[in-house]
Amino acid sequence: QVQLVESGGGLVQPGGSLRLSCAASGSISSINAMGWYRQAPGRERELVATITSGGSTNYADSVKGRFTISRDGAKNTVYLQMNSLKPEDTAVYYCNADSVLVGDTRYLRLWGQGTLVTVSS
């Protein structure tokens, strides 16, 4: 079974930090880009950050300078280090991975189940 499993969410005070992890497992041949999205209550899902297999990164303007995305190719894992958190960062965070499954040649976008981040005093 192919899946992405996120961890690291929780409750943090404004100005605090959290580190999210997302590990891909199963019959995956290769992974190209990986990324994080988030969805706050009553709002659409939005891009937070992405990282290519070569390490190129892209960030939403709202998180630039505060969040850092990284990946461990050997572990098929992507991370999101979140610093200087604000109440408006409160959301469910989802990871994704553009993956080629064993026996296939097409890229398939896999999604995790989401992890809740709450920033509140």
Side-chain angles (χ1 to χ4, degrees):
Q1 180 180 2
V2 177
Q3 61 179 354
L4 300 183
V5 178
E6 296 131 334
S7 60
L11 173 64
V12 63
Q13 292 186 342
S17 299
L18 281 176
R19 188 189 193 214
L20 306 182
S21 300
C22 171
S25 63
S27 300
I28 296 174
S29 176
S30 63
I31 298 177
N32 189 7
M34 303 183 80
W36 290 94
Y37 285 69
R38 67 186 181 187
Q39 187 167 19
R43 302 187 65 176
E44 294 186 353
R45 190 175 296 189
E46 63 177 5
L47 170 71
V48 176
T50 61
I51 184 167
T52 68
S53 57
S56 297
T57 58
N58 179 55
Y59 296 93
D61 288 342
S62 60
V63 306
K64 282 181 181 177
R66 300 188 298 122
F67 291 11
T68 302
I69 189 170
S70 61
R71 67 190 284 175
D72 184 332
K75 297 181 179 180
N76 284 344
T77 299
V78 62
Y79 306 96
L80 186 68
Q81 178 66 43
M82 304 185 294
N83 299 327
S84 302
L85 282 161
K86 305 175 181 180
E88 51 263 43
D89 294 319
T90 295
V92 177
Y93 284 70
Y94 299 90
C95 67
N96 69 21
D98 291 338
S99 308
V100 177
L101 304 185
V102 173
D104 204 340
T105 58
R106 301 163 298 173
Y107 276 104
L108 177 67
R109 176 157 288 186
L110 304 175
W111 288 92
Q113 81 286 355
T115 185
L116 178 62
V117 172
T118 303
V119 184
S120 175
S121 55

